[in-house]
Short mmCIF file of all heavy atoms in Angstrom, two decimals:
data_model
loop_
_atom_site.label_atom_id
_atom_site.label_comp_id
_atom_site.label_asym_id
_atom_site.label_seq_id
_atom_site.Cartn_x
_atom_site.Cartn_y
_atom_site.Cartn_z
N MET C 3 7.89 25.43 1.35
CA MET C 3 6.72 24.86 2.02
C MET C 3 6.07 23.79 1.14
O MET C 3 5.81 22.69 1.56
CB MET C 3 5.68 25.96 2.32
CG MET C 3 6.07 26.79 3.53
SD MET C 3 6.20 25.80 5.02
CE MET C 3 4.90 26.52 6.01
N ALA C 4 5.83 24.13 -0.11
CA ALA C 4 5.18 23.18 -1.02
C ALA C 4 6.05 21.94 -1.22
O ALA C 4 5.54 20.83 -1.31
CB ALA C 4 4.90 23.85 -2.35
N GLU C 5 7.36 22.16 -1.25
CA GLU C 5 8.25 21.03 -1.50
C GLU C 5 8.23 20.04 -0.34
O GLU C 5 8.15 18.84 -0.52
CB GLU C 5 9.67 21.56 -1.71
CG GLU C 5 10.61 20.49 -2.25
CD GLU C 5 11.97 21.08 -2.56
OE1 GLU C 5 12.01 22.21 -3.07
OE2 GLU C 5 12.96 20.42 -2.28
N SER C 6 8.27 20.56 0.91
CA SER C 6 8.27 19.66 2.06
C SER C 6 6.93 18.94 2.19
O SER C 6 6.87 17.79 2.59
CB SER C 6 8.57 20.45 3.34
OG SER C 6 7.55 21.37 3.61
N ALA C 7 5.85 19.60 1.83
CA ALA C 7 4.54 18.96 1.89
C ALA C 7 4.47 17.79 0.91
O ALA C 7 3.94 16.73 1.23
CB ALA C 7 3.44 19.98 1.55
N ALA C 8 5.06 17.97 -0.26
CA ALA C 8 5.07 16.90 -1.26
C ALA C 8 5.88 15.72 -0.75
O ALA C 8 5.50 14.57 -0.95
CB ALA C 8 5.64 17.42 -2.56
N LYS C 9 6.99 15.99 -0.10
CA LYS C 9 7.83 14.90 0.42
C LYS C 9 7.10 14.10 1.49
O LYS C 9 7.17 12.89 1.50
CB LYS C 9 9.13 15.47 0.99
CG LYS C 9 10.17 15.78 -0.08
CD LYS C 9 11.44 16.31 0.54
CE LYS C 9 12.44 16.71 -0.54
NZ LYS C 9 13.60 17.40 0.04
N SER C 10 6.43 14.78 2.41
CA SER C 10 5.74 14.06 3.47
C SER C 10 4.61 13.21 2.91
O SER C 10 4.34 12.12 3.38
CB SER C 10 5.21 15.02 4.53
OG SER C 10 4.18 15.81 4.00
N THR C 11 3.96 13.70 1.86
CA THR C 11 2.90 12.93 1.21
C THR C 11 3.49 11.66 0.59
O THR C 11 2.92 10.59 0.69
CB THR C 11 2.22 13.76 0.12
OG1 THR C 11 1.69 14.93 0.71
CG2 THR C 11 1.09 12.98 -0.53
N PHE C 12 4.66 11.80 -0.01
CA PHE C 12 5.31 10.66 -0.64
C PHE C 12 5.72 9.63 0.40
O PHE C 12 5.59 8.43 0.20
CB PHE C 12 6.54 11.13 -1.42
CG PHE C 12 7.25 10.01 -2.12
CD1 PHE C 12 6.73 9.47 -3.29
CD2 PHE C 12 8.42 9.50 -1.61
CE1 PHE C 12 7.37 8.43 -3.93
CE2 PHE C 12 9.08 8.46 -2.25
CZ PHE C 12 8.55 7.93 -3.41
N ASP C 13 6.21 10.08 1.56
CA ASP C 13 6.65 9.18 2.62
C ASP C 13 5.50 8.30 3.12
O ASP C 13 5.69 7.13 3.41
CB ASP C 13 7.23 9.96 3.79
CG ASP C 13 8.60 10.51 3.46
OD1 ASP C 13 9.21 10.04 2.48
OD2 ASP C 13 9.05 11.42 4.18
N LYS C 14 4.32 8.87 3.22
CA LYS C 14 3.19 8.10 3.74
C LYS C 14 2.71 7.06 2.72
O LYS C 14 2.17 6.04 3.10
CB LYS C 14 2.04 9.03 4.12
CG LYS C 14 2.36 9.79 5.40
CD LYS C 14 1.26 10.78 5.75
CE LYS C 14 1.67 11.57 6.99
NZ LYS C 14 0.70 12.63 7.29
N LEU C 15 2.93 7.36 1.46
CA LEU C 15 2.65 6.41 0.38
C LEU C 15 1.24 5.83 0.48
O LEU C 15 1.03 4.64 0.61
CB LEU C 15 3.69 5.28 0.39
CG LEU C 15 3.80 4.47 -0.91
CD1 LEU C 15 4.33 5.34 -2.04
CD2 LEU C 15 4.75 3.30 -0.71
N ARG C 16 0.27 6.70 0.45
CA ARG C 16 -1.11 6.23 0.44
C ARG C 16 -1.53 6.00 -1.00
O ARG C 16 -1.69 6.94 -1.76
CB ARG C 16 -2.02 7.24 1.11
CG ARG C 16 -1.77 7.30 2.60
CD ARG C 16 -2.94 7.91 3.32
NE ARG C 16 -2.74 7.81 4.76
CZ ARG C 16 -3.62 8.25 5.64
NH1 ARG C 16 -4.72 8.84 5.24
NH2 ARG C 16 -3.39 8.12 6.92
N VAL C 17 -1.72 4.76 -1.33
CA VAL C 17 -2.02 4.41 -2.71
C VAL C 17 -3.51 4.15 -2.86
O VAL C 17 -4.09 3.35 -2.15
CB VAL C 17 -1.22 3.14 -3.12
CG1 VAL C 17 -1.48 2.82 -4.58
CG2 VAL C 17 0.26 3.35 -2.86
N ALA C 18 -4.12 4.85 -3.79
CA ALA C 18 -5.55 4.67 -4.03
C ALA C 18 -5.79 3.58 -5.06
O ALA C 18 -6.76 2.84 -4.97
CB ALA C 18 -6.17 5.98 -4.50
N SER C 19 -4.88 3.46 -6.03
CA SER C 19 -5.05 2.44 -7.05
C SER C 19 -3.69 2.00 -7.58
O SER C 19 -2.72 2.75 -7.54
CB SER C 19 -5.92 2.95 -8.20
OG SER C 19 -5.29 4.01 -8.85
N LEU C 20 -3.63 0.77 -8.03
CA LEU C 20 -2.40 0.20 -8.58
C LEU C 20 -2.74 -0.58 -9.85
O LEU C 20 -3.87 -1.03 -10.03
CB LEU C 20 -1.76 -0.76 -7.59
CG LEU C 20 -1.08 -0.16 -6.36
CD1 LEU C 20 -0.69 -1.26 -5.40
CD2 LEU C 20 0.14 0.63 -6.77
N TYR C 21 -1.73 -0.75 -10.68
CA TYR C 21 -1.92 -1.57 -11.87
C TYR C 21 -2.03 -3.04 -11.48
O TYR C 21 -1.16 -3.56 -10.76
CB TYR C 21 -0.76 -1.36 -12.84
CG TYR C 21 -0.88 -2.24 -14.06
CD1 TYR C 21 -1.72 -1.88 -15.10
CD2 TYR C 21 -0.18 -3.43 -14.14
CE1 TYR C 21 -1.86 -2.70 -16.22
CE2 TYR C 21 -0.30 -4.25 -15.25
CZ TYR C 21 -1.15 -3.88 -16.28
OH TYR C 21 -1.27 -4.70 -17.37
N CYS C 22 -3.07 -3.68 -11.91
CA CYS C 22 -3.25 -5.11 -11.63
C CYS C 22 -2.97 -5.91 -12.89
O CYS C 22 -3.63 -5.71 -13.91
CB CYS C 22 -4.68 -5.37 -11.15
SG CYS C 22 -5.00 -7.12 -10.87
N PRO C 23 -1.99 -6.83 -12.85
CA PRO C 23 -1.64 -7.62 -14.04
C PRO C 23 -2.75 -8.60 -14.42
O PRO C 23 -2.82 -9.05 -15.56
CB PRO C 23 -0.36 -8.35 -13.62
CG PRO C 23 -0.38 -8.36 -12.14
CD PRO C 23 -1.11 -7.11 -11.72
N PHE C 24 -3.62 -8.94 -13.47
CA PHE C 24 -4.70 -9.89 -13.77
C PHE C 24 -5.88 -9.18 -14.43
O PHE C 24 -6.49 -9.71 -15.37
CB PHE C 24 -5.14 -10.59 -12.48
CG PHE C 24 -4.04 -11.37 -11.85
CD1 PHE C 24 -3.28 -10.81 -10.83
CD2 PHE C 24 -3.74 -12.65 -12.29
CE1 PHE C 24 -2.25 -11.53 -10.25
CE2 PHE C 24 -2.70 -13.37 -11.71
CZ PHE C 24 -1.95 -12.80 -10.70
N CYS C 25 -6.20 -7.98 -13.94
CA CYS C 25 -7.27 -7.19 -14.57
C CYS C 25 -6.73 -6.43 -15.78
O CYS C 25 -7.50 -5.92 -16.58
CB CYS C 25 -7.83 -6.20 -13.56
SG CYS C 25 -8.57 -6.96 -12.11
N ARG C 26 -5.41 -6.32 -15.89
CA ARG C 26 -4.75 -5.60 -16.97
C ARG C 26 -5.12 -4.13 -17.02
O ARG C 26 -5.22 -3.54 -18.09
CB ARG C 26 -5.04 -6.26 -18.32
CG ARG C 26 -4.43 -7.65 -18.41
CD ARG C 26 -4.67 -8.24 -19.79
NE ARG C 26 -4.13 -9.59 -19.87
CZ ARG C 26 -4.25 -10.37 -20.95
NH1 ARG C 26 -4.90 -9.92 -22.01
NH2 ARG C 26 -3.74 -11.57 -20.97
N GLN C 27 -5.36 -3.57 -15.85
CA GLN C 27 -5.59 -2.13 -15.75
C GLN C 27 -5.47 -1.69 -14.29
O GLN C 27 -5.44 -2.54 -13.39
CB GLN C 27 -6.95 -1.75 -16.31
CG GLN C 27 -8.12 -2.44 -15.63
CD GLN C 27 -9.44 -2.12 -16.34
OE1 GLN C 27 -9.96 -1.02 -16.23
NE2 GLN C 27 -9.95 -3.07 -17.08
N ALA C 28 -5.38 -0.40 -14.07
CA ALA C 28 -5.29 0.12 -12.71
C ALA C 28 -6.61 -0.12 -11.99
O ALA C 28 -7.69 0.10 -12.55
CB ALA C 28 -4.97 1.61 -12.74
N ARG C 29 -6.49 -0.61 -10.76
CA ARG C 29 -7.69 -0.93 -9.98
C ARG C 29 -7.59 -0.29 -8.60
O ARG C 29 -6.50 -0.13 -8.07
CB ARG C 29 -7.80 -2.44 -9.80
CG ARG C 29 -8.17 -3.19 -11.05
CD ARG C 29 -9.53 -2.80 -11.52
NE ARG C 29 -10.07 -3.79 -12.44
CZ ARG C 29 -11.24 -3.65 -13.06
NH1 ARG C 29 -11.96 -2.57 -12.86
NH2 ARG C 29 -11.68 -4.58 -13.86
N PRO C 30 -8.72 0.02 -7.98
CA PRO C 30 -8.69 0.46 -6.59
C PRO C 30 -8.16 -0.67 -5.72
O PRO C 30 -8.44 -1.84 -6.00
CB PRO C 30 -10.16 0.77 -6.26
CG PRO C 30 -10.92 0.64 -7.51
CD PRO C 30 -10.06 -0.03 -8.54
N VAL C 31 -7.39 -0.32 -4.70
CA VAL C 31 -6.80 -1.34 -3.85
C VAL C 31 -7.35 -1.28 -2.44
O VAL C 31 -7.82 -0.24 -1.98
CB VAL C 31 -5.26 -1.21 -3.82
CG1 VAL C 31 -4.67 -1.56 -5.18
CG2 VAL C 31 -4.84 0.16 -3.37
N ARG C 32 -7.25 -2.39 -1.77
CA ARG C 32 -7.66 -2.49 -0.37
C ARG C 32 -6.41 -2.79 0.46
O ARG C 32 -5.64 -3.69 0.13
CB ARG C 32 -8.68 -3.62 -0.22
CG ARG C 32 -9.15 -3.83 1.19
CD ARG C 32 -10.35 -4.75 1.20
NE ARG C 32 -10.15 -5.88 0.27
CZ ARG C 32 -11.12 -6.65 -0.16
NH1 ARG C 32 -12.36 -6.44 0.20
NH2 ARG C 32 -10.87 -7.67 -0.96
N LEU C 33 -6.23 -2.02 1.51
CA LEU C 33 -5.06 -2.20 2.37
C LEU C 33 -5.41 -3.15 3.50
O LEU C 33 -6.42 -2.98 4.19
CB LEU C 33 -4.64 -0.84 2.94
CG LEU C 33 -3.35 -0.81 3.74
CD1 LEU C 33 -2.16 -1.22 2.88
CD2 LEU C 33 -3.13 0.57 4.31
N LYS C 34 -4.60 -4.19 3.67
CA LYS C 34 -4.86 -5.18 4.70
C LYS C 34 -3.65 -5.36 5.59
O LYS C 34 -2.52 -5.48 5.08
CB LYS C 34 -5.24 -6.51 4.05
CG LYS C 34 -5.65 -7.58 5.06
CD LYS C 34 -5.97 -8.88 4.36
CE LYS C 34 -6.31 -9.96 5.38
NZ LYS C 34 -6.53 -11.26 4.73
N LEU C 35 -3.86 -5.39 6.88
CA LEU C 35 -2.78 -5.62 7.83
C LEU C 35 -2.45 -7.11 7.89
O LEU C 35 -3.32 -7.94 8.15
CB LEU C 35 -3.19 -5.12 9.21
CG LEU C 35 -2.18 -5.31 10.34
CD1 LEU C 35 -0.90 -4.55 10.06
CD2 LEU C 35 -2.76 -4.88 11.67
N LEU C 36 -1.19 -7.44 7.58
CA LEU C 36 -0.79 -8.84 7.55
C LEU C 36 -0.17 -9.29 8.87
O LEU C 36 -0.52 -10.34 9.41
CB LEU C 36 0.24 -9.06 6.43
CG LEU C 36 -0.27 -8.94 5.00
CD1 LEU C 36 0.87 -9.24 4.04
CD2 LEU C 36 -1.43 -9.86 4.73
N LEU C 37 0.80 -8.51 9.34
CA LEU C 37 1.56 -8.91 10.52
C LEU C 37 1.80 -7.72 11.43
O LEU C 37 2.03 -6.61 10.96
CB LEU C 37 2.92 -9.47 10.10
CG LEU C 37 2.96 -10.84 9.45
CD1 LEU C 37 4.35 -11.10 8.89
CD2 LEU C 37 2.60 -11.92 10.46
N CYS C 38 1.77 -7.98 12.74
CA CYS C 38 2.18 -6.97 13.70
C CYS C 38 3.52 -7.41 14.27
O CYS C 38 3.59 -8.42 14.97
CB CYS C 38 1.16 -6.84 14.83
SG CYS C 38 -0.35 -6.03 14.33
N LEU C 39 4.57 -6.69 13.96
CA LEU C 39 5.91 -7.01 14.42
C LEU C 39 6.41 -5.93 15.37
O LEU C 39 5.93 -4.79 15.31
CB LEU C 39 6.87 -7.14 13.24
CG LEU C 39 6.49 -8.21 12.21
CD1 LEU C 39 7.41 -8.10 10.99
CD2 LEU C 39 6.60 -9.59 12.82
N PRO C 40 7.37 -6.28 16.22
CA PRO C 40 7.93 -5.26 17.13
C PRO C 40 8.51 -4.06 16.39
O PRO C 40 8.44 -2.94 16.86
CB PRO C 40 9.03 -6.03 17.88
CG PRO C 40 8.65 -7.46 17.76
CD PRO C 40 7.94 -7.60 16.44
N GLN C 41 9.08 -4.31 15.21
CA GLN C 41 9.70 -3.22 14.45
C GLN C 41 8.73 -2.49 13.54
O GLN C 41 9.08 -1.51 12.91
CB GLN C 41 10.90 -3.74 13.64
CG GLN C 41 10.54 -4.78 12.61
CD GLN C 41 10.66 -6.19 13.15
OE1 GLN C 41 10.36 -6.46 14.30
NE2 GLN C 41 11.10 -7.12 12.33
N GLY C 42 7.50 -2.97 13.47
CA GLY C 42 6.51 -2.28 12.65
C GLY C 42 5.43 -3.23 12.16
O GLY C 42 5.47 -4.42 12.43
N ASP C 43 4.47 -2.67 11.44
CA ASP C 43 3.38 -3.48 10.91
C ASP C 43 3.57 -3.71 9.42
O ASP C 43 3.99 -2.82 8.70
CB ASP C 43 2.05 -2.76 11.13
CG ASP C 43 1.74 -2.57 12.60
OD1 ASP C 43 2.26 -3.37 13.41
OD2 ASP C 43 1.02 -1.62 12.94
N LYS C 44 3.24 -4.89 8.97
CA LYS C 44 3.34 -5.19 7.55
C LYS C 44 1.95 -5.18 6.93
O LYS C 44 1.03 -5.83 7.40
CB LYS C 44 3.99 -6.57 7.34
CG LYS C 44 4.21 -6.87 5.86
CD LYS C 44 4.92 -8.20 5.68
CE LYS C 44 5.21 -8.43 4.20
NZ LYS C 44 5.83 -9.75 3.97
N TYR C 45 1.85 -4.39 5.85
CA TYR C 45 0.57 -4.27 5.14
C TYR C 45 0.73 -4.79 3.72
O TYR C 45 1.82 -4.80 3.17
CB TYR C 45 0.14 -2.81 5.06
CG TYR C 45 -0.21 -2.19 6.39
CD1 TYR C 45 0.77 -1.60 7.18
CD2 TYR C 45 -1.54 -2.16 6.82
CE1 TYR C 45 0.44 -1.02 8.39
CE2 TYR C 45 -1.87 -1.58 8.02
CZ TYR C 45 -0.88 -1.01 8.81
OH TYR C 45 -1.21 -0.43 10.00
N ALA C 46 -0.38 -5.18 3.14
CA ALA C 46 -0.38 -5.56 1.73
C ALA C 46 -1.56 -4.90 1.03
O ALA C 46 -2.61 -4.68 1.64
CB ALA C 46 -0.45 -7.07 1.58
N TYR C 47 -1.36 -4.58 -0.24
CA TYR C 47 -2.42 -4.01 -1.06
C TYR C 47 -3.01 -5.10 -1.93
O TYR C 47 -2.30 -5.83 -2.59
CB TYR C 47 -1.86 -2.91 -1.96
CG TYR C 47 -1.42 -1.67 -1.23
CD1 TYR C 47 -0.08 -1.43 -0.96
CD2 TYR C 47 -2.37 -0.74 -0.83
CE1 TYR C 47 0.32 -0.29 -0.29
CE2 TYR C 47 -1.97 0.41 -0.16
CZ TYR C 47 -0.64 0.63 0.11
OH TYR C 47 -0.25 1.76 0.77
N TYR C 48 -4.33 -5.17 -1.92
CA TYR C 48 -5.04 -6.17 -2.74
C TYR C 48 -5.95 -5.48 -3.74
O TYR C 48 -6.61 -4.49 -3.40
CB TYR C 48 -5.88 -7.09 -1.85
CG TYR C 48 -5.04 -7.98 -0.96
CD1 TYR C 48 -4.71 -7.58 0.32
CD2 TYR C 48 -4.60 -9.21 -1.42
CE1 TYR C 48 -3.94 -8.38 1.14
CE2 TYR C 48 -3.83 -10.03 -0.61
CZ TYR C 48 -3.50 -9.61 0.67
OH TYR C 48 -2.74 -10.40 1.49
N CYS C 49 -6.02 -6.03 -4.93
CA CYS C 49 -6.95 -5.56 -5.94
C CYS C 49 -8.38 -5.78 -5.45
O CYS C 49 -8.73 -6.86 -4.98
CB CYS C 49 -6.72 -6.33 -7.24
SG CYS C 49 -7.93 -5.97 -8.52
N GLN C 50 -9.20 -4.74 -5.54
CA GLN C 50 -10.58 -4.88 -5.07
C GLN C 50 -11.44 -5.69 -6.02
O GLN C 50 -12.51 -6.16 -5.66
CB GLN C 50 -11.21 -3.49 -4.86
CG GLN C 50 -10.68 -2.80 -3.62
CD GLN C 50 -11.53 -1.60 -3.23
OE1 GLN C 50 -12.48 -1.26 -3.91
NE2 GLN C 50 -11.17 -0.96 -2.14
N GLU C 51 -10.99 -5.87 -7.24
CA GLU C 51 -11.77 -6.63 -8.22
C GLU C 51 -11.51 -8.13 -8.12
O GLU C 51 -12.44 -8.91 -8.03
CB GLU C 51 -11.43 -6.13 -9.63
CG GLU C 51 -11.92 -4.74 -9.92
CD GLU C 51 -13.45 -4.63 -9.87
OE1 GLU C 51 -14.12 -5.57 -10.35
OE2 GLU C 51 -13.96 -3.64 -9.33
N CYS C 52 -10.23 -8.52 -8.16
CA CYS C 52 -9.91 -9.95 -8.22
C CYS C 52 -9.22 -10.45 -6.95
O CYS C 52 -9.06 -11.65 -6.77
CB CYS C 52 -9.06 -10.26 -9.45
SG CYS C 52 -7.39 -9.60 -9.35
N GLY C 53 -8.81 -9.55 -6.07
CA GLY C 53 -8.24 -9.96 -4.80
C GLY C 53 -6.77 -10.30 -4.84
O GLY C 53 -6.22 -10.78 -3.85
N ALA C 54 -6.10 -10.07 -5.97
CA ALA C 54 -4.68 -10.37 -6.08
C ALA C 54 -3.86 -9.40 -5.24
O ALA C 54 -4.21 -8.22 -5.11
CB ALA C 54 -4.24 -10.28 -7.54
N GLU C 55 -2.77 -9.92 -4.65
CA GLU C 55 -1.87 -9.05 -3.89
C GLU C 55 -1.01 -8.28 -4.88
O GLU C 55 -0.30 -8.87 -5.69
CB GLU C 55 -1.00 -9.88 -2.96
CG GLU C 55 -0.11 -8.99 -2.09
CD GLU C 55 0.75 -9.82 -1.13
OE1 GLU C 55 0.35 -10.94 -0.79
OE2 GLU C 55 1.82 -9.33 -0.76
N LEU C 56 -1.06 -6.96 -4.79
CA LEU C 56 -0.34 -6.11 -5.77
C LEU C 56 0.92 -5.50 -5.19
O LEU C 56 1.86 -5.21 -5.92
CB LEU C 56 -1.26 -5.00 -6.26
CG LEU C 56 -2.56 -5.48 -6.92
CD1 LEU C 56 -3.36 -4.30 -7.42
CD2 LEU C 56 -2.28 -6.45 -8.06
N ALA C 57 0.96 -5.28 -3.88
CA ALA C 57 2.14 -4.65 -3.27
C ALA C 57 2.09 -4.88 -1.78
O ALA C 57 1.06 -5.23 -1.21
CB ALA C 57 2.17 -3.16 -3.58
N ALA C 58 3.26 -4.71 -1.15
CA ALA C 58 3.34 -4.83 0.30
C ALA C 58 4.24 -3.74 0.83
O ALA C 58 5.09 -3.22 0.12
CB ALA C 58 3.88 -6.21 0.69
N LYS C 59 4.04 -3.38 2.08
CA LYS C 59 4.89 -2.35 2.68
C LYS C 59 5.01 -2.59 4.17
O LYS C 59 4.15 -3.21 4.80
CB LYS C 59 4.32 -0.97 2.41
CG LYS C 59 3.03 -0.67 3.15
CD LYS C 59 2.71 0.80 3.14
CE LYS C 59 1.47 1.10 3.97
NZ LYS C 59 1.23 2.54 4.11
N MET C 60 6.11 -2.08 4.73
CA MET C 60 6.30 -2.08 6.17
C MET C 60 6.07 -0.68 6.70
O MET C 60 6.55 0.30 6.12
CB MET C 60 7.74 -2.50 6.51
CG MET C 60 7.96 -4.00 6.43
SD MET C 60 7.17 -4.89 7.80
CE MET C 60 8.13 -4.28 9.18
N GLU C 61 5.33 -0.58 7.77
CA GLU C 61 5.10 0.72 8.39
C GLU C 61 5.63 0.66 9.82
O GLU C 61 5.17 -0.13 10.64
CB GLU C 61 3.61 1.05 8.39
CG GLU C 61 3.35 2.52 8.61
CD GLU C 61 1.97 2.92 8.13
OE1 GLU C 61 1.04 2.84 8.92
OE2 GLU C 61 1.84 3.28 6.94
N LYS C 62 6.62 1.50 10.09
CA LYS C 62 7.25 1.49 11.40
C LYS C 62 6.36 2.19 12.43
O LYS C 62 5.89 3.29 12.20
CB LYS C 62 8.62 2.16 11.34
CG LYS C 62 9.61 1.35 10.51
CD LYS C 62 10.92 2.08 10.36
CE LYS C 62 11.87 1.27 9.48
NZ LYS C 62 13.11 2.00 9.19
N GLY C 63 6.14 1.51 13.52
CA GLY C 63 5.28 2.07 14.55
C GLY C 63 5.97 3.17 15.32
O GLY C 63 5.45 4.27 15.45
N GLU C 64 7.17 2.88 15.86
CA GLU C 64 7.91 3.88 16.64
C GLU C 64 9.27 4.11 16.02
O GLU C 64 9.92 3.18 15.58
CB GLU C 64 8.08 3.41 18.06
CG GLU C 64 6.74 3.27 18.79
CD GLU C 64 6.94 2.75 20.19
OE1 GLU C 64 8.09 2.75 20.67
OE2 GLU C 64 5.94 2.35 20.82
N SER C 65 9.68 5.35 15.99
CA SER C 65 10.96 5.66 15.39
C SER C 65 12.08 5.56 16.41
O SER C 65 11.84 5.70 17.59
CB SER C 65 10.94 7.06 14.77
OG SER C 65 10.62 8.00 15.74
ZN1 LIG D 30 -7.27 -7.37 -10.29
#
């Protein structure tokens, strides 16, 4: 049970903070929707301090 719960948490990949090369430390991030595509939505993570894009991900709407 604990193992499957950990896997599902990892799949969702909710990131609260990421290392920012501009701030030179881990910063809280803001998730922004960039594109709505038929195959899914594209999101990007931005540093809340300097606004740099730190990561991007695709989230599939329908399986
Ligand atoms: Zn930053």
Side-chain angles (χ1 to χ4, degrees):
M3 282 299 244
E5 192 175 321
S6 65
K9 280 182 184 172
S10 67
T11 302
F12 181 76
D13 286 344
K14 287 177 183 175
L15 198 66
R16 290 199 173 181
V17 183
S19 63
L20 287 171
Y21 177 80
C22 177
F24 299 96
C25 299
R26 294 184 182 177
Q27 58 185 287
R29 289 296 198 184
V31 292
R32 179 168 43 196
L33 186 62
K34 184 182 178 184
L35 179 62
L36 291 182
L37 287 170
C38 287
L39 300 172
Q41 62 268 36
D43 297 334
K44 185 177 183 183
Y45 293 87
Y47 291 102
Y48 292 92
C49 174
Q50 285 194 358
E51 291 297 320
C52 70
E55 183 179 334
L56 301 182
K59 69 165 184 173
M60 281 288 294
E61 198 160 89
K62 292 175 183 174
E64 296 178 13
S65 58

